[in-house]
Amino acid sequence: MAYVAVKGGTEAIEASIQRLQFERIQHQELLDVKTIMATMRGMVDQVMSESSLYSEFLAALAIKQAEGNMEEAVFLLRAHRSTLPRHYYTRVVETETMVVERRISASFKDIPGGQILGASYDYTHRLMDFDLIDESEASMQTWLEQYLVEEVAVSEGTDLTALPKVVDYLRKEKLLAEVSEDQTEPIDVTKRSLQFPTTRGERLQVLTRGQTGAVTSLGYAAIRGYGAVHPTVGELRVGKLPLTIGHPTDPSDDFTNDYYIGEIKVTEVESFVPITVQKDNHREELEFEIGYGICYGQNETKAIAMSILDQSLEFGRQGHPTQDEEFVLLHIDSVESSGFISHLKLPHYVTFQSKLDSMRRIKKESGQ
């Protein structure tokens, strides 16, 4: 792409950056990074998921630097992530070990361990709460002290670390197709560009890194008819997963020597999608396929939409854009899409002038 020289370009750019700083602080109000971490967990979770970097502090810092612009914050955090060394790889995480904070099923009313509503806006009235305008630290402390006393009394005797998976019910009844466990090493999409056709592991990585709005919109499109997928949420879990690494000097798979390095909060969804299959006896029978979604933090809408697109791409019969992996995977990345759209603001003087010259020549030759 050709550009022309612009006089005073360096000075103009420096002045633009200074103006950006002025716009951020002109009202003389500063937002602390810890405040963003504590009060904007939805934004923090979204930025971490789309950046593939689990750090609430760095995500909050990126949000502050980007003034709440999500695409810019994700861009910043991904750029920082690319500079970080990788010292270890964790053991494979089994989500059965999740310390559950929220667990619901739209498929079964009664499940072992019960449905745990946890923290969710699903059950609130969508009305503006003007009391928040005058919220004070004193009222906050009083409310917290009362709540914590009640919470301890309610949670006693409940084991949130060993809740069975809802999908196991259907497996026991042989209502789900048997699938052999995939032991192949997953391909890291942050280290190698996508090559089509992709593996399911690659697709899941791209989907969980995808822009939340884009993933949700395409999942919605699949339900509305551009994919004919209408799932039932078998189980939605929000909770914390423990992470461990193997002993640095012990190459064996002796898990007893593993080191616990921390935990991450995730949202996991397993959706049941009914399909009609034709058996050898030419009879049509109803079966279930599973769509899977998982992402950092609590982002339930994205995880559900991800499970819809996972099923569409894994089992799709083609014919719809939501079943085309190139269409879906190449258009949901916030950095890629916003970057390409934003580049249209850069100088295109030479190319546009060539088009103008062509138009003028054609009009002149045609006598118009």
Side-chain angles (χ1 to χ4, degrees), residues 104-228:
I104 61 169
S105 173
S107 302
F108 300 96
K109 179 180 179 182
D110 298 314
I111 53 179
Q115 307 230 21
I116 302 171
L117 299 188
S120 174
Y121 287 100
D122 292 349
Y123 320 109
T124 64
H125 299 293
R126 261 58 177 215
L127 301 173
M128 295 291 290
D129 186 358
F130 293 100
D131 291 338
L132 295 179
I133 297 174
D134 299 319
E135 189 177 30
S136 65
E137 290 192 10
S139 62
M140 176 185 67
Q141 291 293 340
T142 301
W143 192 96
L144 280 174
E145 291 173 3
Q146 181 180 356
Y147 174 81
L148 291 174
V149 172
E150 297 174 353
E151 177 71 6
V152 171
V154 171
S155 61
E156 284 182 350
T158 303
D159 187 1
L160 301 177
T161 62
L163 296 175
K165 301 297 287 287
V166 172
V167 70
D168 292 337
Y169 305 156
L170 299 184
R171 286 203 175 100
K172 289 179 180 178
E173 295 186 40
K174 300 188 182 301
L175 296 177
L176 296 176
E178 294 292 334
V179 179
S180 58
E181 188 173 349
D182 187 0
Q183 297 288 351
T184 58
E185 188 75 17
I187 298 171
D188 189 341
V189 298
T190 66
K191 288 186 172 182
R192 196 189 81 173
S193 299
L194 282 179
Q195 298 179 9
F196 296 99
T198 61
T199 64
R200 191 179 190 186
E202 289 177 290
R203 292 194 295 271
L204 289 173
Q205 290 176 68
V206 175
L207 288 171
T208 198
R209 283 163 55 89
Q211 203 270 341
T212 298
V215 174
T216 301
S217 295
L218 290 181
Y220 176 53
I223 294 176
R224 289 193 66 244
Y226 295 91

Side-chain angles (χ1 to χ4, degrees), residues 71-72 335-346 348:
E71 288 80 9
E72 183 68 19
V335 173
E336 291 282 350
S337 57
S338 63
F340 195 86
I341 296 295
S342 295
H343 107 279
L344 298 175
K345 296 181 291 185
L346 296 175
H348 289 69

Side-chain angles (χ1 to χ4, degrees), residues 41-56 59 63 70 73-74 77-78 81 190 204-212 215 265-267 293-300 302-303 306 332-335:
R41 60 188 182 92
M43 294 181 68
V44 170
D45 290 347
Q46 184 175 328
V47 170
M48 290 194 304
S49 178
E50 295 178 22
S51 305
S52 293
L53 179 60
Y54 194 93
S55 172
E56 294 175 341
I63 291 169
M70 300 298 287
V74 172
L77 202 54
R78 281 201 194 177
R81 180 185 186 275
T190 66
L204 289 173
Q205 290 176 68
V206 175
L207 288 171
T208 198
R209 283 163 55 89
Q211 203 270 341
T212 298
V215 174
K265 186 174 183 178
V266 300
T267 301
I294 190 169
C295 56
Y296 284 153
Q298 185 172 3
N299 194 340
E300 299 172 17
K302 178 182 179 180
M306 179 181 170
I332 60 174
D333 189 282
S334 64
V335 173

